[in-house]
Amino acid sequence: MTNLDLNFIDFSAQNRNFSSILQETDSIQPSLGYINYLNGNIKPTVIRFGRSYDENDYAFLFKYSFIGYWKLYQFLRKKDNLVVLFHSFSFPFSFLFFQLLLGKKAKWIVQHHAGEPSKNLIKRTIQKIAFSRADKYLFVTKEQAKNYVKHGLIKTIENVNEVMELSTGFQLKSKEHCRDDLQIDIDKKVFIWVGHLDKNKDPMCALNAFKKLKEVNAEFVVYMFFGETVLLDEMKKFIEINQLEKNIILKGKVENHELEKWYNAADYLVACSHSEGSGTSVAEAMACGCTPILSSIPSFKFMTNNGEIGYNFETGNSDELAKILINLPKTASIEDREIIRKQFDEKLSYKAIGKGISKVINQIQ
C-alpha cells in the first residue's frame, strides 16, 4: 500500500458514437459514481470514444482516428504514476494497442463485465495474449474468474479482486408513503420483478412459482417491469390460463428513476437470472431495503453474503422458489429493510466500490 499521488484512468475502448462526453457519462452513471469516493491521493480521469473530441471536468471523449490517437497519446504521456482501469475482456486488440502506446508508463487493471472467455479458440488465444499482460483484475466474485484462469487469460486467481461492478443512488424511503403515492394497499404482500423477459432472466420460473403461491390461497401482487419482451406472449398466455391477472401486473418499461418508489413500496424482489455480471435491479432494490429472493448465481451470492441477506434458490428451480414464497412473512419488517440497506452500504454502494478500487490502485504501484 502506498500514499503516492496517482493518476487513474477509467478507460473504455467501446465506441458508443456519442458526440458529447456528457451523453456518455450520463448514460453510464451507475458505473461511474464510485469516482467521488476514491482515496484522496488518486486523481481520476474518464476516457471514452465517440464521434468527436470533447471534454468536461475530468471526462474526455476522443475519436478513433490518427488525430484522435495522437491527442490521446499527448494527453497521457504527461501523466506519471499512471494506473488504467480497462473495461471488459471483449476488446483484446484495443488493449494491446493502448498498452503498446503507453509502454511501461502504465499499470493495468481489467474489469469483468459479464460473459466468459470466447468459445472460439483463435479469439480466446488473442484474449489470452492480451489480457494475461494486465496487472490486476476486478470481478464481482472470484468464482466468475475461474474460467479466465483456466484458459490463461488471467495467470493466477491471486490477481483477482472482488469489487461490485456498478451501483445506484437510490435511497431507503417510507414504504407507507410510497404505497400511498402508488395507490397500493399497505397490507398487501408486494413483489417486484425488474428485468428483460428472456430465457436468461427466466421469468417463467417466477410465474410457475407464483402459480403455486396462489394455489395455497395467498394474497399477493407482483409488479413486473421489463424492457425486452421475447417471452411476453408466452407469459400472457400462462397468466390467462392460470387466472393470475389480478396477481401479476405487467407494467412494462418506465424511466429508471421511477423505479425507486416501486422498490421502496415492495416487500420482495424476485430475480431468476441464469447469468449476470453483477445485478443492477438487485443493487437498486437492496438500496431501497427491498428483500432479494435470488437464483444462486455467483454475483447474486456475493451481493447477499451467500444467502445470509434475503433468500437464494437453485437456479431454474421453480419448486424451490415456490417454497420460499409460500413461507415468507406477510410483509418485510422495518428492521429487515434496514439490514438490507446496511448490506448495500457496506458492499454494493458507490462508497464501497470506491474503497475497493482505491485499495487495488494503491496496491498496484
Side-chain angles (χ1 to χ4, degrees):
M1 187 73 70
T2 177
N3 290 317
L4 180 71
D5 286 340
L6 301 172
N7 284 299
F8 170 66
I9 309 293
D10 184 301
F11 187 102
S12 174
Q14 183 179 8
N15 184 353
R16 286 156 58 83
N17 289 314
F18 287 134
S19 57
S20 161
I21 187 58
L22 286 178
Q23 287 178 283
E24 169 73 9
T25 54
D26 287 349
S27 69
I28 59 170
Q29 181 57 33
S31 62
L32 281 182
Y34 77 91
I35 283 179
N36 294 324
Y37 297 95
L38 292 171
N39 286 1
N41 69 309
I42 298 170
K43 184 179 180 182
T45 301
V46 175
I47 290 179
R48 296 293 187 267
F49 289 89
R51 292 198 295 264
S52 61
Y53 177 82
D54 188 36
E55 63 179 273
N56 182 69
D57 198 9
Y58 55 79
F60 297 81
L61 190 70
F62 289 90
K63 189 176 181 180
Y64 274 122
S65 66
F66 178 79
I67 295 176
Y69 295 147
W70 179 250
K71 283 185 176 180
L72 178 59
Y73 174 70
Q74 292 294 328
F75 177 82
L76 294 176
R77 68 187 292 268
K78 299 174 184 177
K79 295 184 179 293
D80 296 317
N81 303 322
L82 184 60
V83 178
V84 183
L85 173 62
F86 188 92
H87 289 279
S88 178
F89 287 82
S90 299
F91 306 98
F93 287 112
S94 294
F95 182 82
L96 283 170
F97 174 79
F98 289 111
Q99 192 178 56
L100 178 64
L101 190 69
L102 294 176
K104 296 181 179 180
K105 189 177 184 65
K107 300 287 188 179
W108 292 85
I109 305 167
V110 180
Q111 185 168 34
H112 175 250
H113 292 291
E116 294 285 344
S118 177
K119 294 181 180 179
N120 181 288
L121 180 59
I122 295 175
K123 292 181 179 179
R124 192 169 68 237
T125 300
I126 295 170
Q127 287 180 311
K128 177 180 177 179
I129 293 170
F131 296 115
S132 63
R133 300 158 61 98
D135 300 281
K136 291 284 185 179
Y137 307 87
L138 301 182
F139 284 74
V140 171
T141 169
K142 288 187 177 183
E143 191 173 345
Q144 295 171 322
K146 288 180 179 179
N147 269 345
Y148 288 81
V149 175
K150 176 182 176 181
H151 293 294
L153 280 72
I154 298 173
K155 292 180 179 178
T156 170
I157 198 71
E158 299 305 315
N159 288 337
V160 176
N161 292 78
E162 295 184 334
V163 178
M164 183 62 183
E165 181 185 12
L166 47 74
S167 190
T168 179
F170 286 0
Q171 296 295 318
L172 178 62
K173 297 181 178 180
S174 166
K175 181 168 73 173
E176 290 77 10
H177 291 164
C178 290
R179 288 200 178 187
D180 186 54
D181 288 345
L182 296 170
Q183 298 183 337
I184 299 173
D185 185 345
I186 192 61
D187 294 323
K188 182 80 72 174
K189 182 184 289 187
V190 177
F191 298 90
I192 187 170
W193 163 286
V194 179
H196 297 312
L197 305 182
D198 58 30
K199 289 185 178 180
N200 180 58
K201 303 292 185 182
D202 202 358
M204 293 307 300
C205 177
L207 290 190
N208 275 292
F210 284 122
K211 172 179 175 289
K212 294 179 176 68
L213 180 60
K214 185 186 178 185
E215 289 172 353
V216 299
N217 298 314
E219 292 290 331
F220 68 95
V221 63
V222 186
Y223 294 99
M224 301 190 75
F225 297 87
F226 48 86
E228 294 182 11
T229 58
V230 178
L231 298 176
L232 181 58
D233 289 342
E234 180 181 348
M235 292 171 62
K236 286 181 176 179
K237 291 178 183 177
F238 184 94
I239 291 169
E240 181 180 359
I241 291 170
N242 294 284
Q243 299 180 332
L244 288 165
E245 293 91 345
K246 293 183 179 180
N247 301 99
I248 311 293
I249 311 300
L250 300 173
K251 299 293 290 185
K253 189 174 183 179
V254 298
E255 293 296 324
N256 182 256
H257 67 86
E258 296 180 44
L259 289 172
E260 183 176 20
K261 188 176 292 184
W262 286 97
Y263 286 126
N264 272 287
D267 297 297
Y268 306 101
L269 170 86
V270 175
C272 303
S273 298
H274 289 246
S275 176
E276 296 286 352
S278 52
T280 304
S281 63
V282 178
E284 290 175 341
M286 291 177 67
C288 300
C290 185
T291 301
I293 304 172
L294 311 174
S295 52
S296 295
I297 61 174
S299 60
F300 287 175
K301 289 191 286 186
F302 169 86
M303 297 172 78
T304 61
N305 282 350
N306 205 29
E308 289 181 15
I309 302 296
Y311 305 85
N312 287 150
F313 61 93
E314 181 185 6
T315 305
N317 190 332
S318 62
D319 290 334
E320 188 174 335
L321 172 57
K323 289 179 183 178
I324 293 172
L325 300 182
I326 291 169
N327 290 293
L328 287 172
K330 183 174 182 181
T331 60
S333 68
I334 294 174
E335 292 76 17
D336 288 338
R337 298 180 75 224
E338 290 175 347
I339 290 171
I340 299 295
R341 176 66 203 201
K342 182 180 179 183
Q343 168 73 1
F344 171 84
D345 287 335
E346 293 179 351
K347 203 164 187 177
L348 312 177
S349 64
Y350 289 133
K351 185 176 181 180
I353 297 172
K355 181 180 179 181
I357 292 180
S358 294
K359 181 179 179 180
V360 177
I361 294 170
N362 279 301
Q363 284 178 339
I364 208 172
Q365 278 289 352

